[in-house]
Amino acid sequence: MTETFGADFLVRWLAAVAEAVDREADRLTELDSAIGDADHGANLKRGFAAVTETLAKEPPATPGAVLTTAGRRLISTVGGASGPLYGTLLRRTGKTLGDDERVTREQLAEALASGVAAVSQLGGAQVGDKTMLDALVPAVEGLRGSFGAARAAAEEGALATVPLRARKGRASYLGERSVGHQDPGATSSALLFATLDETARTEASSTEGAS
């Protein structure tokens, strides 16, 4: 029997993302201070806190609506590049999921792939440019297999940005000086998939306990 996930699962995931970003905000800002504007952690902390607040007030009825709502909130709340990029990721993913009341992991992977494609189009970046795509693209491929594989692929992708020279975004202005630093966007993207894996594990445990 194929496991499916409802709107409540996505709400719990995004709440976990908000907690993780809050916990890691200083680290994200430290990474960003080396090759960016030193605001990545603060921006995402504010954005995902607003997402959690919005979803708590008016919980959407479907997984797609949860992500679409979250994406819109990020775009309206977060300045800089991270708001539009993460907002586009979630909003496009939500729109691709449509109105289904429950979705499978495979459906979520396919929808996230469309979201990642939208991020690539918006930012003009590809894998290897030292951006969030270096974590997102392998993570989505991993998600086709399992939540754990997605998490591992995202974390490996983030680490793999260290030796890269930035070709997009603010970090690209530094040229060779961007080499040797982990990309903050790829690092925060890895948090998304780490919390997705943790949320799925909790869901599985509660389901087994109830059976």
Side-chain angles (χ1 to χ4, degrees):
M1 182 174 163
T2 302
E3 188 175 14
T4 60
F5 306 92
D8 55 338
F9 174 83
L10 278 300
V11 170
R12 286 196 296 275
W13 171 38
L14 292 174
V17 172
E19 289 178 9
V21 167
D22 182 68
R23 190 171 60 245
E24 298 290 331
D26 288 347
R27 176 171 173 253
L28 293 173
T29 293
E30 184 180 345
L31 291 173
D32 197 33
S33 67
I35 57 174
D37 293 326
D39 59 2
H40 190 61
N43 282 345
L44 285 188
K45 181 177 178 178
R46 182 173 68 254
F48 278 101
V51 166
T52 300
E53 182 182 358
T54 298
L55 294 178
K57 284 181 180 176
E58 300 176 23
T62 65
V66 170
L67 296 182
T68 303
T69 299
R72 282 201 303 264
R73 194 73 178 103
L74 284 174
I75 290 171
S76 66
T77 306
V78 182
S82 55
L85 291 170
Y86 273 112
T88 294
L89 172 67
L90 296 182
R91 190 168 64 173
R92 179 64 63 86
T93 299
K95 286 184 176 181
T96 303
L97 286 176
D99 298 324
D100 291 347
E101 292 189 0
R102 297 190 69 81
V103 299
T104 64
R105 174 178 45 75
E106 291 83 356
Q107 285 177 304
L108 182 57
E110 290 299 326
L112 278 165
S114 70
V116 171
V119 169
S120 178
Q121 184 176 20
L122 178 64
Q126 305 292 333
V127 171
D129 286 342
K130 200 182 182 93
T131 71
M132 62 197 297
L133 290 171
D134 289 302
L136 290 176
V137 170
V140 168
E141 285 304 307
L143 189 57
R144 300 180 197 280
S146 70
F147 288 108
R151 176 182 192 161
E155 290 171 352
E156 288 171 14
L159 286 173
T161 63
V162 174
L164 298 178
R165 174 176 174 170
R167 291 187 170 85
K168 292 291 178 181
R170 175 76 191 280
S172 65
Y173 302 151
L174 297 176
E176 289 295 336
R177 286 182 293 152
S178 65
V179 174
H181 299 282
Q182 187 165 317
D183 181 69
T187 306
S188 57
S189 294
L191 286 179
L192 255 67
F193 286 91
T195 52
L196 181 60
D197 180 40
E198 289 162 8
T199 305
R201 289 173 185 271
T202 302
E203 180 95 348
S205 296
S206 62
T207 302
E208 288 172 9
S211 61

